[in-house]
Amino acid sequence: SNTGVPFPGTDWLERLAKTVEPFEYNEVTYSSAYMAILEGNPHQHPARNFHSWVSSFIFGDSLVAFIVERVGTFWGYYALIYLRNLLASFFVYFGVAGIFHYHIYVHPRSKTIFEDQNQPRPSKEIMWDQMRLSQASIFLYDLLPIISDFLVDEGYTRCFFTIEDQGYVHYVLTSLFYFSLVEIGIYWVHRTLHTNKFLYKHIHSTHHKYNKRHEMTPWASIAFHPLDGIAQASPYIIMTLVTPVHFYTFLVMVVFTPIWATYIHDGMLSNVDPIMGPKYHTVHHTHYMYNFGQVFTFCDSFWGTLWLPEHGKPKKKFA
């Protein structure tokens, strides 16, 4: 029954059909409301099939039917994806930042990080401010995956769904090339948000009000103006239009991003070159015009914007 349909196949739809009533939409009877969203053809909608399968763990078929009856399958599908992404965003934000918070500020060894080194702890007011800003922005952030899902489902991207059809060498090379383009794209978006005075003043400066080490916390990971967060994440989507990339690898990279953002904002000085870890990113917040990269230092090194205080003066100025 899974023939020709990429992961998760169609078994989940068959199991669902045994537990729910058939659903009628536009004078067509489907085995479930989820099948209606797939227009009865999961093979034609592999991305929609995957997202619907994930959503089925959160939303029952009766809720899907309720939404589809009111707004149709097209808008119903994207409404479900948006609601699911909202829930996931809250879970990831509070879950991941909460784990970092415990290990940095609550665990007994936190004394060696702060008091033993005469390092001030971030204030509760700073953390609450970062949480409020993050939660206010999430509602707009989660519109970006809707655009991505639409582009993939409508066939505008160069995403592919099975590694076997292309081969593992092709998979590795396209994944590396895609990620490299994303790194370059994010570097230049981030750098432009600093060098363009209008964009910095009205958009990016919101995030850079946290400009001291003791104001850097895991809760600052997505404490952006919403347009800022969307702009910096957009290369993930734009590059799917440019180069082939495995769909599920693309999703893993996107999910990894907020986790990585939590790590680099924790204010600690850990780092392993050439990783753009918190040591580099803390300098970015305190010195503004350096260390724009996301995961690696390569772009900053190549374009002359990589710097740590112990390196002495920066190698060169840039325009």
Side-chain angles (χ1 to χ4, degrees):
S1 59
N2 286 330
T3 304
V5 180
F7 179 84
T10 58
D11 284 347
W12 75 277
L13 288 163
E14 295 172 10
R15 291 193 298 270
L16 180 65
K18 296 175 182 178
T19 63
V20 300
E21 295 295 322
F23 177 70
E24 187 172 324
Y25 176 72
N26 280 356
E27 299 182 350
V28 177
T29 301
Y30 298 95
S31 60
S32 64
Y34 275 109
M35 183 62 91
I37 277 180
L38 295 169
E39 299 174 341
N41 191 349
H43 182 273
Q44 189 175 342
H45 300 283
R48 188 178 291 204
N49 182 55
F50 172 80
H51 285 300
S52 296
W53 171 70
V54 174
S55 296
S56 71
F57 290 97
I58 305 171
F59 306 123
D61 198 69
S62 57
L63 175 61
V64 178
F66 177 83
I67 294 174
V68 168
E69 286 170 349
R70 281 151 183 81
V71 299
T73 54
F74 179 85
W75 292 110
Y77 167 68
Y78 290 109
L80 286 167
I81 296 301
Y82 180 73
L83 291 173
R84 184 202 71 192
N85 290 348
L86 269 183
L87 293 173
S89 296
F90 289 126
F91 178 80
V92 170
Y93 176 74
F94 284 104
V96 175
I99 292 171
F100 274 80
H101 181 100
Y102 172 78
H103 285 284
I104 296 172
Y105 309 118
V106 179
H107 192 280
R109 69 168 169 266
S110 68
K111 182 176 179 294
T112 65
I113 298 173
F114 297 101
E115 285 77 13
D116 291 355
Q117 299 184 36
N118 293 318
Q119 175 70 19
R121 289 175 178 264
S123 68
K124 291 181 180 179
E125 289 74 20
I126 284 287
M127 295 184 190
W128 280 116
D129 183 67
Q130 292 168 351
M131 289 182 202
R132 284 193 297 267
L133 179 56
S134 297
Q135 299 319 297
S137 299
I138 274 179
F139 291 94
L140 283 179
Y141 290 160
D142 281 336
L143 291 175
L144 194 60
I146 300 299
I147 297 172
S148 172
D149 294 341
F150 172 79
L151 292 173
V152 174
D153 193 55
E154 295 296 321
Y156 293 112
T157 72
R158 300 187 67 185
C159 289
F160 59 93
F161 290 84
T162 55
I163 297 174
E164 290 75 15
D165 290 346
Q166 306 290 337
Y168 284 92
V169 172
H170 176 270
Y171 166 71
V172 171
L173 292 177
T174 54
S175 296
L176 290 174
F177 186 62
Y178 167 78
F179 185 72
S180 298
L181 291 181
V182 170
E183 277 283 292
I184 293 170
I186 291 175
Y187 171 86
W188 279 105
V189 169
H190 191 185
R191 179 165 162 171
T192 301
L193 285 166
H194 278 261
T195 56
N196 184 292
K197 293 181 180 179
F198 178 86
L199 293 177
Y200 184 81
K201 179 180 179 181
H202 296 285
I203 296 178
H204 197 51
S205 63
T206 300
H207 183 62
H208 270 274
K209 64 181 179 179
Y210 313 117
N211 57 13
K212 299 178 179 63
R213 184 186 168 192
H214 67 267
E215 295 174 347
M216 297 286 287
T217 86
W219 304 105
S221 61
I222 56 171
F224 291 92
H225 185 293
L227 294 181
D228 190 347
I230 289 172
Q232 292 199 58
S234 63
Y236 279 102
I237 297 175
I238 294 169
M239 296 311 169
T240 64
L241 308 173
V242 175
T243 183
V245 61
H246 184 241
F247 174 69
Y248 306 105
T249 302
F250 157 69
L251 290 182
V252 168
M253 290 183 188
V254 170
V255 171
F256 167 76
T257 300
I259 300 172
W260 182 258
T262 305
Y263 165 62
I264 64 175
H265 284 92
D266 68 10
M268 300 296 99
L269 298 181
S270 57
N271 218 87
V272 178
D273 287 321
I275 302 297
M276 181 64 72
K279 186 174 183 179
Y280 282 105
H281 198 72
T282 298
V283 168
H284 172 73
H285 274 259
T286 57
H287 291 71
Y288 294 98
M289 300 300 285
Y290 305 98
N291 305 348
F292 299 108
Q294 183 198 22
V295 177
F296 292 103
T297 62
F298 300 130
C299 288
D300 284 283
S301 182
F302 183 79
W303 279 294
T305 55
L306 183 67
W307 186 54
L308 283 178
E310 58 262 36
H311 293 170
K313 292 183 178 180
K315 292 180 183 178
K316 60 183 179 180
K317 296 181 179 179
F318 63 94

